[in-house]
Amino acid sequence: MDLDALTGCLASSACLVTQTTSGFIIGMLLFLVAVGLTLIFGVLKVVNFSHGAFYMFGAYFAMTAYQLSGSFALAMLCGAAGTAILGLIFERVFMSRVYGADVLMQLLVCYAFVLIFDDVVRMIWGPEFKSMGMPAAFQVAPLFIAGGVVPPYYLLLIGVALAAAMILGLGLARTRIGKVIRAAAHNPGMVSALGINTGLIYGGVFALGGMLAGLAGALAAPVRSLTPGMGFSVLIESFIVTVIGGMGSILGALIGALLIGLIRSFGSLGFPLFTEGLMYLFMVIVLVSRPTGLFGKEVA
Amino acid sequence: MTRTRKPGVSRRATLAMMGAGALTFASPWLARAQAKTIKIGMPTILSGRVAQLGTSSRNAVMLEIEKVNAAGGLAGRQIEMVIRDSKGQPQEAARVARELVNTDGCEILIDAEASSGAFAVHEVARDLGVLCLHTNSETSALSADPKQHIPNAFRTARQGVHDSIVGGSYAAAIAKAKGLKKWATCSPDYAYGRDTTGEFVTYLKRFAPDIEIISESWPKLFQPDYTEVVTKILQAKPQALYSCLWGGDLTSYIDQANIYALFSQMEVFAVNMADYTALTVVKNLPKGIHSGNRYIKTYPATPENAAWGDAYKAKYNEYPTNWSWENATAIMLLAEASKKANSADGKKIAEAMRGLKIKSPFGADGTVTMRAEDQTLVGYAIGWGTTIPQEPYVPQVQAGDWKTIFELEAEWKKSKGYT
């Protein structure tokens, strides 16, 4: 434990800015993965354990697109669009068959695909780790804000993730499609009886969730090494986020992810040997005091 | 009327039984034919983030086995490799190792595991008494600690304490020249990371006593994001940074530290940088990172080493890794020891291997030695240099001096209570 370092940091604006942005970067990528997870659970009522694979595919798609075209924007687009299509196919062909089934059955299907997707990546891109490399446009000196260090690429990353959060939140709350999705989450039988194609809604939501995870992977590709199985560690943290924020709540996922990010960045200063433990400890406290999560609704 | 099967033995069952009987009688002959070959079991990591290193271990072993088999095998017996994936999990490595010996009938084990798995396989070797060559674990205690010592286990890998002595003296010289007094460390949080960093700091301080460690970070192994560690180091404002992160973890760390311009703010000493797996993957390799040699075909700068590196590349279309030379050395030693003992028996090979000195492309003076007292490899090429972003990546390597290494290693063993 190193409380001096922590209090010292809290007293200096430079350190505060640096550590807060560092927490936001970790949190925002986590949010993109976790929000897909929570959305799919909210509407489809399945826990998608293979969600980490979409993060992985997003990163690989982006890397390949970037290598072929040299365009960073196109790489992001390919990462997101590719995983959306993959999500749609995965949901329609496999997941839709196990909706009514036992939770264990769903888990088994998802876990099988964790292994299958990892092997597919290994077959296409090889077992060795890869690096996409930072696009030339972002190979610039970091910015100094109030003495704190902020890399420009991370500003973009936070911006894109925040924009995704806002579009998603507003879209669900304000648009007609959003209302249909919320209705389908609440009472799929009734929605179906009203002549709305719930299969399409389900596929769409799964594709959206996959796309967000893919976008996270694509955004992470320039700074994280790419390897088969890379989705797994992200998935575990995403679960912690959804448990803290409340399953099915988008705002919960955002707050939960940012909290985890901040716990990591400030925890590594104050409790360098217990940063991981802090996350779990926080989760336990939330679970004990609010079993449905910070923003979760009581299950009727 | 339907035909029902009569009770008793059917014709088909009789035929099957006769077939089985024939096989049983024929099998002593089959078994004798199989005994001509000798099976060597090899648990290694073929999936997950370290898979590339495991694959490069397998490649190097197969490259050497081909040569040994072409020259007649181990005392006339052709070698058959049985290579299994441990997924990098210690309990799986132990299970696979046991199975290779008990079920597959392997008579020798090549333990191509990282340190986490090597200690587990070591216990299996202790239990079964089978000849075991640790090829990848560089944790010093595996051979230095007398509690770990068993007559049938050898290490053909470099050793953390050797790297630390050479690295410590190299870094101390630079620290004195450039006035680097405040240091930070950042290494993975497991046996190898902790031990190697501790040893490096010990020798750094020994050669340059006024150095101070002002910040330590211990990210966990295979952590995807190091941002919080990078910013923590930036806050501490050290003049130099030591890290023994490796493989994909190191390349992630470099990519993430790069956008914080960390490399322009301090001298970086990353012992595992100069390995082709990391060098060829990082797109924007910062110039001037200090690194120990891992495997590089230009050091030692001999035709033998260059030829070995090129032969590997010609066969597998990529450069060998640190794990490659360590595994190749295991096979070279096995072949020589078996020749000396004129036997493929594990115990006799072990006897012949103790103290054995062989010609090697990876030797500091063209030879490597399996030191008898602790059954670990010495005399291999070891040195430090700075990186450039294109071939030959580390243009000039300063060789470590084995005389100094031996002296300080003996002292270190004493201080640890090992001798």
Side-chain angles (χ1 to χ4, degrees):
Chain A
M1 213 157 57
D2 192 0
L3 286 178
D4 288 351
L6 187 58
T7 47
C9 179
L10 294 176
S12 113
S13 70
C15 183
L16 259 180
V17 169
T18 309
Q19 292 306 109
T20 310
T21 47
S22 134
F24 267 58
I25 298 145
I26 302 168
M28 277 308 184
L29 283 179
L30 213 49
F31 161 73
L32 286 177
V33 181
V35 74
L37 201 63
T38 208
L39 199 67
I40 290 171
F41 176 79
V43 178
L44 282 66
K45 303 287 183 283
V46 291
V47 181
N48 180 18
F49 280 92
S50 56
H51 204 64
F54 293 94
Y55 168 81
M56 171 176 70
F57 273 116
Y60 275 98
F61 287 157
M63 180 186 72
T64 304
Y66 182 68
Q67 282 168 352
L68 294 178
S69 70
S71 156
F72 178 69
L74 194 69
M76 294 301 104
L77 201 67
C78 281
T83 45
I85 295 166
L86 196 71
L88 184 68
I89 297 171
F90 180 55
E91 194 276 341
R92 282 293 87 194
V93 180
F94 300 104
M95 287 309 286
S96 58
R97 294 172 198 280
V98 291
Y99 281 151
D102 193 39
V103 172
L104 277 179
M105 185 63 178
Q106 297 173 346
L107 200 139
L108 208 61
V109 170
C110 287
Y111 188 61
F113 273 94
V114 170
L115 301 178
I116 292 170
F117 284 146
D118 278 357
D119 278 348
V120 167
V121 166
R122 195 168 295 131
M123 279 191 285
I124 300 177
W125 285 280
E128 64 274 14
F129 59 86
K130 300 253 156 89
S131 165
M132 174 171 146
M134 183 59 63
F138 294 103
Q139 285 182 33
V140 289
L143 304 173
F144 288 88
I145 301 174
V149 195
V150 183
Y153 180 69
Y154 283 172
L155 283 181
L156 171 92
L157 197 154
I158 295 173
V160 170
L162 267 181
M166 276 166 62
I167 293 170
L168 197 64
L170 287 176
L172 276 181
R174 301 282 164 82
T175 62
R176 194 186 127 73
I177 300 172
K179 280 181 191 155
V180 172
I181 290 175
R182 279 186 294 143
H186 196 67
N187 190 341
M190 181 60 85
V191 170
S192 178
L194 288 172
I196 290 164
N197 185 347
T198 46
L200 195 67
I201 301 271
Y202 283 4
V205 167
F206 209 101
L208 182 64
M211 185 187 88
L212 289 166
L215 182 64
L219 284 168
V223 286
R224 295 185 183 174
S225 61
L226 277 59
T227 156
M230 68 187 275
F232 198 69
S233 57
V234 178
L235 183 73
I236 292 174
E237 289 190 359
S238 306
F239 272 114
I240 301 177
V241 165
T242 43
V243 167
I244 290 174
M247 282 296 240
S249 161
I250 290 171
L251 183 64
L254 181 65
I255 302 291
L258 290 181
L259 281 172
I260 290 293
L262 291 174
I263 286 178
R264 287 200 79 106
S265 66
F266 285 98
S268 75
L269 288 177
F271 310 90
L273 299 179
F274 197 61
T275 322
E276 295 281 312
L278 274 182
M279 283 184 342
Y280 290 97
L281 192 68
F282 183 60
M283 181 176 86
V284 168
I285 294 171
V286 168
L287 271 181
V288 170
S289 55
R290 283 186 68 96
T292 52
L294 293 176
F295 294 87
K297 294 190 185 73
E298 290 289 335
V299 181
Chain B
M1 192 179 136
T2 53
R3 279 172 30 162
T4 48
R5 188 189 286 253
K6 286 181 194 141
V9 184
S10 74
R11 191 172 47 187
R12 207 172 281 179
T14 316
L15 272 173
M17 274 196 288
M18 280 167 65
L23 261 176
T24 318
F25 284 111
S27 57
W29 173 80
L30 267 174
R32 229 178 301 134
Q34 276 164 355
K36 290 280 294 173
T37 66
I38 179 166
K39 282 189 184 171
I40 300 182
M42 175 165 160
T44 190
I45 307 171
L46 298 174
S47 54
R49 198 148 166 181
V50 197
Q52 186 181 14
L53 288 174
T55 313
S56 77
S57 304
R58 179 178 64 191
N59 288 349
V61 162
M62 296 317 289
L63 186 71
E64 292 306 311
I65 291 282
E66 253 173 46
K67 292 183 205 160
V68 176
N69 276 344
L74 285 189
R77 291 170 72 185
Q78 290 287 303
I79 302 169
E80 184 191 336
M81 290 301 301
V82 188
I83 303 174
R84 298 257 162 83
D85 184 13
S86 71
K87 305 179 184 75
Q89 294 162 2
Q91 70 279 15
E92 185 71 2
R95 191 189 66 75
V96 167
R98 201 172 279 278
E99 193 181 86
L100 283 167
V101 177
N102 287 342
T103 314
D104 296 272
C106 293
E107 295 174 46
I108 297 170
L109 281 179
I110 303 275
D111 159 43
E113 287 291 322
S115 288
S116 45
F119 282 88
V121 176
H122 193 71
E123 288 313 306
V124 174
R126 189 198 296 271
D127 187 27
L128 302 178
V130 63
L131 175 62
C132 172
L133 281 81
H134 300 294
T135 52
N136 300 342
S137 170
E138 300 173 13
T139 306
S140 302
L142 184 64
S143 62
D145 186 349
K147 284 204 279 299
Q148 297 290 353
H149 186 80
I150 48 174
N152 52 316
F154 296 80
R155 184 218 306 264
T156 64
R158 50 175 74 244
Q159 206 182 133
V161 68
H162 298 163
D163 269 333
S164 300
I165 292 169
V166 175
S169 73
Y170 170 87
I174 290 171
K176 279 183 190 156
K178 296 194 174 177
L180 311 173
K181 295 212 162 55
K182 290 184 189 165
W183 283 64
T185 68
C186 172
S187 295
D189 192 9
Y190 76 121
Y192 167 77
R194 291 263 172 189
D195 289 1
T196 308
T197 304
E199 288 154 12
F200 175 84
V201 170
T202 307
Y203 289 105
L204 177 63
K205 283 186 173 165
R206 185 193 165 97
F207 295 113
D210 53 351
I211 272 167
E212 191 192 352
I213 302 293
I214 56 166
S215 166
E216 287 177 40
S217 306
W218 302 100
K220 86 186 152 126
L221 191 60
F222 307 150
Q223 184 167 317
D225 201 293
Y226 296 94
T227 307
E228 81 249 18
V229 182
V230 171
T231 53
K232 179 185 163 181
I233 293 166
L234 288 175
Q235 302 300 341
K237 295 199 173 60
Q239 294 166 300
L241 170 72
Y242 169 81
S243 174
C244 68
L245 286 167
W246 52 280
D249 288 4
L250 179 62
T251 56
S252 273
Y253 184 84
I254 289 174
D255 282 338
Q256 289 165 24
N258 238 343
I259 59 173
Y260 277 100
L262 181 139
F263 296 98
S264 63
Q265 296 172 42
M266 58 197 78
E267 292 278 327
V268 176
F269 295 76
V271 58
N272 293 319
M273 186 70 243
D275 200 31
Y276 288 114
T277 53
L279 291 169
T280 51
V281 166
V282 178
K283 295 289 185 303
N284 313 306
L285 183 72
K287 201 176 158 213
I289 295 182
H290 302 273
S291 173
N293 73 312
R294 310 309 291 167
Y295 176 78
I296 196 145
K297 70 169 189 172
T298 49
Y299 182 77
T302 58
E304 290 83 7
N305 185 33
W308 192 84
D310 288 336
Y312 183 103
K313 181 148 198 262
K315 186 158 180 178
Y316 300 111
N317 199 27
E318 61 185 15
Y319 276 123
T321 69
N322 185 43
W323 286 19
S324 301
W325 82 259
E326 295 175 333
N327 279 279
T329 303
I331 304 299
M332 292 172 184
L333 269 165
L334 258 185
E336 282 298 319
S338 157
K339 204 184 282 173
K340 188 176 149 199
N342 195 24
S343 166
D345 177 66
K347 280 209 174 68
K348 287 182 184 150
I349 292 180
E351 193 57 48
M353 204 180 287
R354 264 171 230 127
L356 185 65
K357 184 182 202 173
I358 61 164
K359 271 196 190 160
S360 163
F362 322 116
D365 62 352
T367 66
V368 293
T369 305
M370 177 54 70
R371 188 163 58 189
E373 60 179 81
D374 54 358
Q375 308 195 160
T376 195
L377 193 74
V378 293
Y380 52 85
I382 182 167
W384 277 66
T386 52
T387 55
I388 53 170
Q390 67 277 343
E391 286 207 61
Y393 295 113
V394 191
Q396 278 181 330
V397 180
Q398 270 184 40
D401 169 32
W402 274 98
K403 200 167 146 271
T404 319
I405 297 176
F406 288 140
E407 280 169 24
L408 293 176
E409 187 192 15
E411 215 174 84
W412 170 80
K413 279 185 169 176
K414 206 169 264 172
S415 74
K416 284 269 178 184
Y418 289 157
T419 48

